[in-house]
Amino acid sequence: MQYRLVIIGTGNVATALSLLFAEEGYTILQVYGRDAAKAAALASRCNAAPVNDLALLSKEADLYIIAVSDNAVPAIAGSLQLGDKLLVHTAGSVSREVLKHSSKHYGVLYPLQSLRAELDHITDIPFLVDANTPEQTAFLKDIAMTVSMQVQTATDEQRLHLHVAAVVVSNFTNHLYALAEAYCKKEKVDFRILLPLIIEVANRIQHASPHEVQTGPAVRNDQSTIGKHLELLQGFPELQQLYAVFSSSIEKMYKK
């Protein structure tokens, strides 16, 4: 059975989920956005009706998805009264309980993926789901499994722990890429020649623990090379500091 959805939001997550569910054959009844033009633009991509007033949300949907920034979820929830309709948010760091006054049935549909509205290709998206009753949790899990091969239930606490880990492996590593790119530009070397290395490391941990495949001067306790690198980074104090911190952490982890 294909259900009817209302999407509340027009950003990265809202766009990705709207297109993902629409491609799977779900009916997107409405897309809500404070900016009428953005709501109309996204609604046109998934054959939905745009709205920019929460009071105008349809009462006919089977699932209402709040897909906005984490800090905006409480305000949206506070403006909704959906009776016994299932209402979920997609935030990694927000408790499901923020929705308890908005509907009798509520939960979380958290896409554990870095999503960008401008991407044409919808990548694999693992989902963490949870709801205030076992029946609604099972319902969310069934829906998520129609669009994803990786669906797990997770409590607020478990989801928050995974959100922390996600920031480390995604946001922090991307920041390191940005710092390395800036360093390469300044030193007039080609950052893009590092891309096969980045891909190889990412592929490697598909088959082994990151702990088991660590390489580099710090794991070998090669203080001579570390010293040379730190000297080269004198003109890049932020990167130099991070290099020292990461080297020290690796040394401690692999100290015999």
Side-chain angles (χ1 to χ4, degrees):
M1 179 178 180
Q2 302 297 350
Y3 297 99
R4 298 164 295 178
L5 313 181
V6 166
I7 306 294
I8 301 171
T10 58
N12 293 324
V13 175
T15 298
L17 294 187
S18 296
L19 299 179
L20 184 67
F21 283 115
E23 285 186 2
E24 193 60 32
Y26 288 87
T27 299
I28 312 298
L29 292 178
Q30 293 173 318
V31 170
Y32 163 83
R34 290 178 301 175
D35 185 316
K38 290 182 178 179
L42 178 54
S44 69
R45 297 179 67 186
C46 54
N47 198 29
V51 292
N52 65 342
D53 183 346
L54 290 172
L56 299 178
L57 290 186
S58 169
K59 305 300 183 185
E60 304 303 318
D62 301 295
L63 176 62
Y64 295 76
I65 302 175
I66 301 176
V68 297
S69 62
D70 289 20
N71 58 8
V73 173
I76 294 288
S79 300
L80 296 174
Q81 289 296 320
L82 295 175
D84 62 355
K85 296 291 186 176
L86 179 56
L87 173 67
V88 299
H89 68 66
T90 61
S93 63
V94 179
S95 170
R96 74 181 189 194
E97 297 304 313
V98 74
L99 305 178
K100 67 180 180 180
H101 298 301
S102 305
S103 178
K104 181 180 178 181
H105 298 137
Y106 58 91
V108 179
L109 180 68
Y110 173 49
L112 188 55
Q113 183 57 274
S114 178
L115 301 173
R116 299 286 297 176
E118 64 270 19
L119 294 179
D120 293 328
H121 171 67
I122 299 176
T123 187
D124 292 336
I125 305 176
F127 283 94
L128 301 179
V129 302
D130 187 28
N132 66 314
T133 70
E135 294 78 13
Q136 298 302 330
T137 299
F139 176 76
L140 281 176
K141 190 170 184 179
D142 286 344
I143 287 181
M145 288 177 66
T146 65
V147 294
S148 173
M149 297 294 290
Q150 297 188 66
V151 180
Q152 297 181 17
T153 57
T155 64
D156 283 343
E157 184 177 9
Q158 290 171 327
R159 180 164 34 85
L160 186 57
H161 286 314
L162 281 167
H163 191 246
V164 170
V167 168
V168 173
V169 302
S170 177
N171 305 132
F172 288 178
T173 53
N174 191 74
H175 181 59
L176 290 174
Y177 296 154
L179 288 172
E181 182 185 43
Y183 172 76
C184 289
K185 286 181 178 178
K186 184 69 180 297
E187 298 300 336
K188 296 180 174 56
V189 293
D190 184 8
F191 171 79
R192 295 190 64 81
I193 203 170
L194 298 171
L195 294 181
L197 174 61
I198 292 171
I199 293 169
E200 170 60 25
V201 173
N203 287 338
R204 193 174 292 170
I205 61 172
Q206 298 282 332
H207 311 289
S209 162
H211 183 273
E212 296 172 353
V213 295
Q214 182 71 54
T215 61
V219 76
R220 302 190 303 269
N221 195 29
D222 182 352
Q223 295 301 319
S224 175
T225 297
I226 291 172
K228 290 177 182 177
H229 289 175
L230 289 172
E231 185 177 352
L232 284 172
L233 291 171
Q234 286 182 357
F236 304 85
E238 185 177 9
L239 186 54
Q240 185 187 53
Q241 181 182 16
L242 287 170
Y243 187 104
V245 168
F246 277 106
S247 293
S248 176
S249 180
I250 293 169
E251 288 168 6
K252 288 177 182 178
M253 180 173 284
Y254 293 92
K255 187 176 181 180
K256 295 180 181 180

